[in-house]
Amino acid sequence: MKKIILSIAIIVAAIIGCKTSGSSGDSKKLNILFEPKSDSHVSGTATFIEKNGNVTFVAKLAGLQPGVHAIHIHEKSDCSAADGSSAGGHWNPTFKKHGKWGVGEYHKGDIGNFTADANGNATISLTTDEWSIGSGDPTKDILGKGLIVHQGADDFVSQPSGNAGARVACSAIIK
């Protein structure tokens, strides 16, 4: 009888362990829409998925001029200004110099450059453990910030923002 009870306890523990480890309930997902700024026709979506301590970001854009553009997380989730300036400067909770993501010093909002094809379409993605969705950690939490697409490329040198030109699309990173 003890062997049967012990066997049942082991099976129940294994089932509970399987249900709790890797549970899809551990992930968070946020979908946002871009709105055009600075008289552009840029549109698109961005998705943030947090799972196992990493956030994966994917943005899909249309209506861009062909070529290289910058994208950054900015301080505020305010896209009310026609030129996107209401989103403030780059999100920089660790007070670093502007730069290229993963190389030397960089802002937590310095996502980087991407290229739009001849039709003005582009996709950019990034996975990082330096962001979170709704954690409340001011050095990692992206909620309440803005996502800005720029007209030009980030030079990764000019301070404090990389000289990437006009803000052609904005989205608030909110639930």
Side-chain angles (χ1 to χ4, degrees):
M1 185 70 157
K2 286 182 182 180
K3 287 183 181 180
I4 293 173
I5 293 172
L6 182 58
S7 295
I8 292 171
I10 291 170
I11 292 170
V12 168
I15 290 170
I16 291 171
C18 289
K19 285 186 176 181
T20 57
S21 65
S23 169
S24 62
D26 294 342
S27 68
K28 299 176 187 175
K29 185 174 183 178
L30 186 59
N31 294 309
I32 58 176
L33 296 173
F34 284 99
E35 57 184 271
K37 294 294 169 187
S38 304
D39 296 320
S40 80
H41 298 288
V42 178
S43 63
T45 62
T47 302
F48 295 90
I49 299 172
E50 182 176 0
K51 188 169 185 170
N52 299 326
N54 287 302
V55 174
T56 298
F57 157 76
V58 177
K60 296 180 180 186
L61 296 145
L64 292 159
Q65 291 295 316
V68 181
H69 301 270
I71 187 167
H72 304 113
I73 295 178
H74 284 246
E75 300 169 311
K76 303 172 192 167
S77 61
D78 183 353
C79 294
S80 62
D83 64 356
S85 61
S86 52
H90 290 187
W91 177 49
N92 186 17
T94 54
F95 308 103
K96 303 287 186 184
K97 289 182 180 178
H98 173 71
K100 187 173 186 179
W101 185 272
V103 179
E105 285 193 38
Y106 56 94
H107 301 156
K108 294 266 183 131
D110 287 343
I111 298 171
N113 291 331
F114 64 95
T115 303
D117 66 18
N119 296 317
N121 300 315
T123 300
I124 182 169
S125 63
L126 172 73
T127 298
T128 181
D129 64 356
E130 294 191 45
W131 298 341
S132 67
I133 301 172
S135 70
D137 179 343
T139 65
K140 294 180 81 168
D141 196 346
I142 61 171
L143 281 183
K145 309 300 180 257
L147 190 58
I148 297 284
V149 176
H150 292 272
Q151 182 178 30
D154 187 327
D155 66 12
F156 304 120
V157 177
S158 300
Q159 299 298 322
S161 60
N163 197 29
R167 299 171 183 202
V168 294
C170 182
S171 184
I173 305 173
I174 56 176
K175 288 185 179 181

PDB file of all heavy atoms in Angstrom, residues 131-162:
ATOM      1  N   TRP A 131      15.161  44.813 -20.816  1.00  0.00           N
ATOM      2  CA  TRP A 131      13.829  45.406 -20.740  1.00  0.00           C
ATOM      3  C   TRP A 131      12.899  44.468 -19.997  1.00  0.00           C
ATOM      4  O   TRP A 131      13.153  43.260 -19.909  1.00  0.00           O
ATOM      5  CB  TRP A 131      13.233  45.622 -22.120  1.00  0.00           C
ATOM      6  CG  TRP A 131      13.938  46.545 -23.045  1.00  0.00           C
ATOM      7  CD1 TRP A 131      14.864  47.507 -22.734  1.00  0.00           C
ATOM      8  CD2 TRP A 131      13.768  46.605 -24.456  1.00  0.00           C
ATOM      9  NE1 TRP A 131      15.271  48.154 -23.869  1.00  0.00           N
ATOM     10  CE2 TRP A 131      14.606  47.617 -24.945  1.00  0.00           C
ATOM     11  CE3 TRP A 131      12.989  45.903 -25.355  1.00  0.00           C
ATOM     12  CZ2 TRP A 131      14.686  47.949 -26.290  1.00  0.00           C
ATOM     13  CZ3 TRP A 131      13.054  46.216 -26.690  1.00  0.00           C
ATOM     14  CH2 TRP A 131      13.901  47.245 -27.159  1.00  0.00           C
ATOM     15  N   SER A 132      11.800  45.032 -19.517  1.00  0.00           N
ATOM     16  CA  SER A 132      10.709  44.237 -18.950  1.00  0.00           C
ATOM     17  C   SER A 132       9.399  44.934 -19.293  1.00  0.00           C
ATOM     18  O   SER A 132       9.392  46.104 -19.680  1.00  0.00           O
ATOM     19  CB  SER A 132      10.866  44.096 -17.433  1.00  0.00           C
ATOM     20  OG  SER A 132      10.703  45.360 -16.800  1.00  0.00           O
ATOM     21  N   ILE A 133       8.299  44.193 -19.156  1.00  0.00           N
ATOM     22  CA  ILE A 133       6.974  44.747 -19.421  1.00  0.00           C
ATOM     23  C   ILE A 133       6.207  44.785 -18.108  1.00  0.00           C
ATOM     24  O   ILE A 133       5.774  43.750 -17.609  1.00  0.00           O
ATOM     25  CB  ILE A 133       6.199  43.901 -20.457  1.00  0.00           C
ATOM     26  CG1 ILE A 133       6.965  43.820 -21.773  1.00  0.00           C
ATOM     27  CG2 ILE A 133       4.803  44.469 -20.672  1.00  0.00           C
ATOM     28  CD1 ILE A 133       6.372  42.841 -22.784  1.00  0.00           C
ATOM     29  N   GLY A 134       6.107  45.973 -17.522  1.00  0.00           N
ATOM     30  CA  GLY A 134       5.307  46.136 -16.313  1.00  0.00           C
ATOM     31  C   GLY A 134       5.928  45.627 -15.032  1.00  0.00           C
ATOM     32  O   GLY A 134       5.209  45.359 -14.069  1.00  0.00           O
ATOM     33  N   SER A 135       7.243  45.529 -14.974  1.00  0.00           N
ATOM     34  CA  SER A 135       7.903  45.029 -13.756  1.00  0.00           C
ATOM     35  C   SER A 135       7.971  46.083 -12.656  1.00  0.00           C
ATOM     36  O   SER A 135       8.152  45.746 -11.494  1.00  0.00           O
ATOM     37  CB  SER A 135       9.330  44.569 -14.070  1.00  0.00           C
ATOM     38  OG  SER A 135      10.158  45.697 -14.372  1.00  0.00           O
ATOM     39  N   GLY A 136       7.877  47.347 -13.049  1.00  0.00           N
ATOM     40  CA  GLY A 136       8.034  48.424 -12.072  1.00  0.00           C
ATOM     41  C   GLY A 136       9.483  48.818 -11.840  1.00  0.00           C
ATOM     42  O   GLY A 136       9.756  49.794 -11.147  1.00  0.00           O
ATOM     43  N   ASP A 137      10.433  48.092 -12.406  1.00  0.00           N
ATOM     44  CA  ASP A 137      11.855  48.425 -12.275  1.00  0.00           C
ATOM     45  C   ASP A 137      12.146  49.604 -13.207  1.00  0.00           C
ATOM     46  O   ASP A 137      12.094  49.455 -14.436  1.00  0.00           O
ATOM     47  CB  ASP A 137      12.711  47.217 -12.656  1.00  0.00           C
ATOM     48  CG  ASP A 137      14.216  47.472 -12.566  1.00  0.00           C
ATOM     49  OD1 ASP A 137      14.646  48.649 -12.530  1.00  0.00           O
ATOM     50  OD2 ASP A 137      14.974  46.481 -12.559  1.00  0.00           O
ATOM     51  N   PRO A 138      12.464  50.786 -12.660  1.00  0.00           N
ATOM     52  CA  PRO A 138      12.646  51.967 -13.514  1.00  0.00           C
ATOM     53  C   PRO A 138      13.812  51.861 -14.496  1.00  0.00           C
ATOM     54  O   PRO A 138      13.861  52.606 -15.465  1.00  0.00           O
ATOM     55  CB  PRO A 138      12.867  53.105 -12.517  1.00  0.00           C
ATOM     56  CG  PRO A 138      13.308  52.446 -11.256  1.00  0.00           C
ATOM     57  CD  PRO A 138      12.681  51.076 -11.251  1.00  0.00           C
ATOM     58  N   THR A 139      14.737  50.934 -14.277  1.00  0.00           N
ATOM     59  CA  THR A 139      15.861  50.772 -15.209  1.00  0.00           C
ATOM     60  C   THR A 139      15.561  49.773 -16.324  1.00  0.00           C
ATOM     61  O   THR A 139      16.375  49.611 -17.229  1.00  0.00           O
ATOM     62  CB  THR A 139      17.139  50.325 -14.478  1.00  0.00           C
ATOM     63  OG1 THR A 139      16.935  49.013 -13.931  1.00  0.00           O
ATOM     64  CG2 THR A 139      17.528  51.303 -13.377  1.00  0.00           C
ATOM     65  N   LYS A 140      14.388  49.093 -16.264  1.00  0.00           N
ATOM     66  CA  LYS A 140      14.063  48.068 -17.262  1.00  0.00           C
ATOM     67  C   LYS A 140      12.667  48.172 -17.858  1.00  0.00           C
ATOM     68  O   LYS A 140      12.438  47.719 -18.972  1.00  0.00           O
ATOM     69  CB  LYS A 140      14.192  46.670 -16.634  1.00  0.00           C
ATOM     70  CG  LYS A 140      15.598  46.280 -16.245  1.00  0.00           C
ATOM     71  CD  LYS A 140      15.629  44.901 -15.650  1.00  0.00           C
ATOM     72  CE  LYS A 140      15.619  43.872 -16.751  1.00  0.00           C
ATOM     73  NZ  LYS A 140      15.925  42.509 -16.340  1.00  0.00           N
ATOM     74  N   ASP A 141      11.721  48.734 -17.112  1.00  0.00           N
ATOM     75  CA  ASP A 141      10.306  48.690 -17.502  1.00  0.00           C
ATOM     76  C   ASP A 141      10.004  49.639 -18.658  1.00  0.00           C
ATOM     77  O   ASP A 141      10.149  50.857 -18.539  1.00  0.00           O
ATOM     78  CB  ASP A 141       9.439  49.036 -16.299  1.00  0.00           C
ATOM     79  CG  ASP A 141       7.988  48.661 -16.478  1.00  0.00           C
ATOM     80  OD1 ASP A 141       7.570  48.372 -17.616  1.00  0.00           O
ATOM     81  OD2 ASP A 141       7.258  48.660 -15.466  1.00  0.00           O
ATOM     82  N   ILE A 142       9.558  49.082 -19.785  1.00  0.00           N
ATOM     83  CA  ILE A 142       9.270  49.885 -20.979  1.00  0.00           C
ATOM     84  C   ILE A 142       7.865  50.480 -20.990  1.00  0.00           C
ATOM     85  O   ILE A 142       7.579  51.338 -21.818  1.00  0.00           O
ATOM     86  CB  ILE A 142       9.503  49.068 -22.269  1.00  0.00           C
ATOM     87  CG1 ILE A 142       8.581  47.840 -22.311  1.00  0.00           C
ATOM     88  CG2 ILE A 142      10.970  48.685 -22.398  1.00  0.00           C
ATOM     89  CD1 ILE A 142       8.584  47.096 -23.629  1.00  0.00           C
ATOM     90  N   LEU A 143       6.986  50.025 -20.097  1.00  0.00           N
ATOM     91  CA  LEU A 143       5.627  50.580 -20.064  1.00  0.00           C
ATOM     92  C   LEU A 143       5.668  52.065 -19.736  1.00  0.00           C
ATOM     93  O   LEU A 143       6.444  52.509 -18.891  1.00  0.00           O
ATOM     94  CB  LEU A 143       4.754  49.859 -19.034  1.00  0.00           C
ATOM     95  CG  LEU A 143       4.187  48.519 -19.443  1.00  0.00           C
ATOM     96  CD1 LEU A 143       3.290  47.972 -18.334  1.00  0.00           C
ATOM     97  CD2 LEU A 143       3.422  48.592 -20.743  1.00  0.00           C
ATOM     98  N   GLY A 144       4.833  52.824 -20.435  1.00  0.00           N
ATOM     99  CA  GLY A 144       4.792  54.264 -20.216  1.00  0.00           C
ATOM    100  C   GLY A 144       5.809  55.030 -21.041  1.00  0.00           C
ATOM    101  O   GLY A 144       5.975  56.239 -20.875  1.00  0.00           O
ATOM    102  N   LYS A 145       6.484  54.337 -21.933  1.00  0.00           N
ATOM    103  CA  LYS A 145       7.475  54.976 -22.812  1.00  0.00           C
ATOM    104  C   LYS A 145       6.870  55.133 -24.212  1.00  0.00           C
ATOM    105  O   LYS A 145       5.774  54.670 -24.487  1.00  0.00           O
ATOM    106  CB  LYS A 145       8.753  54.133 -22.893  1.00  0.00           C
ATOM    107  CG  LYS A 145       9.343  53.726 -21.562  1.00  0.00           C
ATOM    108  CD  LYS A 145       9.729  54.913 -20.713  1.00  0.00           C
ATOM    109  CE  LYS A 145      10.309  54.493 -19.381  1.00  0.00           C
ATOM    110  NZ  LYS A 145       9.395  54.621 -18.269  1.00  0.00           N
ATOM    111  N   GLY A 146       7.607  55.791 -25.101  1.00  0.00           N
ATOM    112  CA  GLY A 146       7.175  55.957 -26.485  1.00  0.00           C
ATOM    113  C   GLY A 146       8.150  55.280 -27.423  1.00  0.00           C
ATOM    114  O   GLY A 146       9.334  55.149 -27.122  1.00  0.00           O
ATOM    115  N   LEU A 147       7.646  54.834 -28.563  1.00  0.00           N
ATOM    116  CA  LEU A 147       8.481  54.209 -29.575  1.00  0.00           C
ATOM    117  C   LEU A 147       8.456  55.107 -30.805  1.00  0.00           C
ATOM    118  O   LEU A 147       7.390  55.404 -31.342  1.00  0.00           O
ATOM    119  CB  LEU A 147       7.932  52.815 -29.901  1.00  0.00           C
ATOM    120  CG  LEU A 147       8.777  51.899 -30.762  1.00  0.00           C
ATOM    121  CD1 LEU A 147      10.148  51.649 -30.146  1.00  0.00           C
ATOM    122  CD2 LEU A 147       8.054  50.565 -30.959  1.00  0.00           C
ATOM    123  N   ILE A 148       9.632  55.578 -31.219  1.00  0.00           N
ATOM    124  CA  ILE A 148       9.754  56.553 -32.306  1.00  0.00           C
ATOM    125  C   ILE A 148      10.571  55.977 -33.454  1.00  0.00           C
ATOM    126  O   ILE A 148      11.643  55.408 -33.254  1.00  0.00           O
ATOM    127  CB  ILE A 148      10.446  57.850 -31.806  1.00  0.00           C
ATOM    128  CG1 ILE A 148       9.615  58.548 -30.739  1.00  0.00           C
ATOM    129  CG2 ILE A 148      10.777  58.778 -32.968  1.00  0.00           C
ATOM    130  CD1 ILE A 148       8.412  59.300 -31.249  1.00  0.00           C
ATOM    131  N   VAL A 149      10.049  56.170 -34.672  1.00  0.00           N
ATOM    132  CA  VAL A 149      10.784  55.855 -35.894  1.00  0.00           C
ATOM    133  C   VAL A 149      11.253  57.179 -36.478  1.00  0.00           C
ATOM    134  O   VAL A 149      10.472  58.134 -36.573  1.00  0.00           O
ATOM    135  CB  VAL A 149       9.897  55.113 -36.916  1.00  0.00           C
ATOM    136  CG1 VAL A 149      10.663  54.877 -38.217  1.00  0.00           C
ATOM    137  CG2 VAL A 149       9.401  53.805 -36.336  1.00  0.00           C
ATOM    138  N   HIS A 150      12.520  57.243 -36.854  1.00  0.00           N
ATOM    139  CA  HIS A 150      13.111  58.470 -37.388  1.00  0.00           C
ATOM    140  C   HIS A 150      13.250  58.416 -38.907  1.00  0.00           C
ATOM    141  O   HIS A 150      13.355  57.351 -39.505  1.00  0.00           O
ATOM    142  CB  HIS A 150      14.481  58.709 -36.751  1.00  0.00           C
ATOM    143  CG  HIS A 150      14.400  59.051 -35.298  1.00  0.00           C
ATOM    144  ND1 HIS A 150      14.252  60.338 -34.837  1.00  0.00           N
ATOM    145  CD2 HIS A 150      14.433  58.265 -34.194  1.00  0.00           C
ATOM    146  CE1 HIS A 150      14.206  60.331 -33.518  1.00  0.00           C
ATOM    147  NE2 HIS A 150      14.317  59.084 -33.105  1.00  0.00           N
ATOM    148  N   GLN A 151      13.317  59.589 -39.484  1.00  0.00           N
ATOM    149  CA  GLN A 151      13.435  59.748 -40.945  1.00  0.00           C
ATOM    150  C   GLN A 151      14.757  59.192 -41.469  1.00  0.00           C
ATOM    151  O   GLN A 151      14.819  58.647 -42.559  1.00  0.00           O
ATOM    152  CB  GLN A 151      13.329  61.230 -41.282  1.00  0.00           C
ATOM    153  CG  GLN A 151      13.374  61.548 -42.748  1.00  0.00           C
ATOM    154  CD  GLN A 151      13.217  63.041 -42.975  1.00  0.00           C
ATOM    155  OE1 GLN A 151      13.609  63.848 -42.140  1.00  0.00           O
ATOM    156  NE2 GLN A 151      12.629  63.401 -44.092  1.00  0.00           N
ATOM    157  N   GLY A 152      15.819  59.345 -40.699  1.00  0.00           N
ATOM    158  CA  GLY A 152      17.142  58.931 -41.159  1.00  0.00           C
ATOM    159  C   GLY A 152      17.790  57.913 -40.250  1.00  0.00           C
ATOM    160  O   GLY A 152      17.178  57.393 -39.315  1.00  0.00           O
ATOM    161  N   ALA A 153      19.060  57.663 -40.523  1.00  0.00           N
ATOM    162  CA  ALA A 153      19.846  56.692 -39.763  1.00  0.00           C
ATOM    163  C   ALA A 153      20.448  57.329 -38.517  1.00  0.00           C
ATOM    164  O   ALA A 153      20.762  58.515 -38.505  1.00  0.00           O
ATOM    165  CB  ALA A 153      20.965  56.138 -40.642  1.00  0.00           C
ATOM    166  N   ASP A 154      20.618  56.532 -37.500  1.00  0.00           N
ATOM    167  CA  ASP A 154      21.326  56.923 -36.286  1.00  0.00           C
ATOM    168  C   ASP A 154      22.820  56.806 -36.584  1.00  0.00           C
ATOM    169  O   ASP A 154      23.276  55.770 -37.075  1.00  0.00           O
ATOM    170  CB  ASP A 154      20.919  55.972 -35.155  1.00  0.00           C
ATOM    171  CG  ASP A 154      21.452  56.367 -33.796  1.00  0.00           C
ATOM    172  OD1 ASP A 154      22.561  56.920 -33.699  1.00  0.00           O
ATOM    173  OD2 ASP A 154      20.748  56.097 -32.807  1.00  0.00           O
ATOM    174  N   ASP A 155      23.581  57.865 -36.284  1.00  0.00           N
ATOM    175  CA  ASP A 155      25.032  57.799 -36.521  1.00  0.00           C
ATOM    176  C   ASP A 155      25.782  57.172 -35.347  1.00  0.00           C
ATOM    177  O   ASP A 155      26.994  56.983 -35.411  1.00  0.00           O
ATOM    178  CB  ASP A 155      25.605  59.177 -36.873  1.00  0.00           C
ATOM    179  CG  ASP A 155      25.539  60.180 -35.729  1.00  0.00           C
ATOM    180  OD1 ASP A 155      25.270  59.812 -34.563  1.00  0.00           O
ATOM    181  OD2 ASP A 155      25.758  61.382 -36.002  1.00  0.00           O
ATOM    182  N   PHE A 156      25.081  56.870 -34.256  1.00  0.00           N
ATOM    183  CA  PHE A 156      25.613  56.229 -33.045  1.00  0.00           C
ATOM    184  C   PHE A 156      26.685  57.055 -32.340  1.00  0.00           C
ATOM    185  O   PHE A 156      27.332  56.566 -31.430  1.00  0.00           O
ATOM    186  CB  PHE A 156      26.165  54.826 -33.344  1.00  0.00           C
ATOM    187  CG  PHE A 156      25.168  53.912 -33.981  1.00  0.00           C
ATOM    188  CD1 PHE A 156      25.409  53.361 -35.237  1.00  0.00           C
ATOM    189  CD2 PHE A 156      23.977  53.596 -33.345  1.00  0.00           C
ATOM    190  CE1 PHE A 156      24.491  52.517 -35.831  1.00  0.00           C
ATOM    191  CE2 PHE A 156      23.054  52.749 -33.934  1.00  0.00           C
ATOM    192  CZ  PHE A 156      23.312  52.204 -35.178  1.00  0.00           C
ATOM    193  N   VAL A 157      26.891  58.289 -32.761  1.00  0.00           N
ATOM    194  CA  VAL A 157      27.944  59.135 -32.192  1.00  0.00           C
ATOM    195  C   VAL A 157      27.379  60.430 -31.627  1.00  0.00           C
ATOM    196  O   VAL A 157      27.692  60.803 -30.491  1.00  0.00           O
ATOM    197  CB  VAL A 157      29.020  59.450 -33.265  1.00  0.00           C
ATOM    198  CG1 VAL A 157      30.073  60.393 -32.717  1.00  0.00           C
ATOM    199  CG2 VAL A 157      29.657  58.173 -33.791  1.00  0.00           C
ATOM    200  N   SER A 158      26.581  61.146 -32.412  1.00  0.00           N
ATOM    201  CA  SER A 158      26.063  62.453 -31.988  1.00  0.00           C
ATOM    202  C   SER A 158      25.273  62.321 -30.697  1.00  0.00           C
ATOM    203  O   SER A 158      24.462  61.414 -30.546  1.00  0.00           O
ATOM    204  CB  SER A 158      25.166  63.052 -33.071  1.00  0.00           C
ATOM    205  OG  SER A 158      25.885  63.240 -34.269  1.00  0.00           O
ATOM    206  N   GLN A 159      25.527  63.254 -29.770  1.00  0.00           N
ATOM    207  CA  GLN A 159      24.858  63.237 -28.466  1.00  0.00           C
ATOM    208  C   GLN A 159      23.786  64.315 -28.427  1.00  0.00           C
ATOM    209  O   GLN A 159      23.975  65.385 -28.992  1.00  0.00           O
ATOM    210  CB  GLN A 159      25.891  63.465 -27.349  1.00  0.00           C
ATOM    211  CG  GLN A 159      26.979  62.411 -27.274  1.00  0.00           C
ATOM    212  CD  GLN A 159      26.453  61.022 -26.970  1.00  0.00           C
ATOM    213  OE1 GLN A 159      25.526  60.849 -26.187  1.00  0.00           O
ATOM    214  NE2 GLN A 159      27.034  60.029 -27.625  1.00  0.00           N
ATOM    215  N   PRO A 160      22.655  64.055 -27.847  1.00  0.00           N
ATOM    216  CA  PRO A 160      22.320  62.829 -27.111  1.00  0.00           C
ATOM    217  C   PRO A 160      21.466  61.858 -27.904  1.00  0.00           C
ATOM    218  O   PRO A 160      20.984  60.883 -27.346  1.00  0.00           O
ATOM    219  CB  PRO A 160      21.514  63.371 -25.940  1.00  0.00           C
ATOM    220  CG  PRO A 160      20.748  64.525 -26.522  1.00  0.00           C
ATOM    221  CD  PRO A 160      21.697  65.135 -27.536  1.00  0.00           C
ATOM    222  N   SER A 161      21.291  62.067 -29.236  1.00  0.00           N
ATOM    223  CA  SER A 161      20.274  61.265 -29.912  1.00  0.00           C
ATOM    224  C   SER A 161      20.675  60.626 -31.241  1.00  0.00           C
ATOM    225  O   SER A 161      19.858  59.985 -31.871  1.00  0.00           O
ATOM    226  CB  SER A 161      19.031  62.124 -30.137  1.00  0.00           C
ATOM    227  OG  SER A 161      19.352  63.233 -30.943  1.00  0.00           O
ATOM    228  N   GLY A 162      21.878  60.805 -31.718  1.00  0.00           N
ATOM    229  CA  GLY A 162      22.313  60.110 -32.929  1.00  0.00           C
ATOM    230  C   GLY A 162      22.005  60.786 -34.240  1.00  0.00           C
ATOM    231  O   GLY A 162      22.228  60.212 -35.298  1.00  0.00           O
TER     232      GLY A 162
END
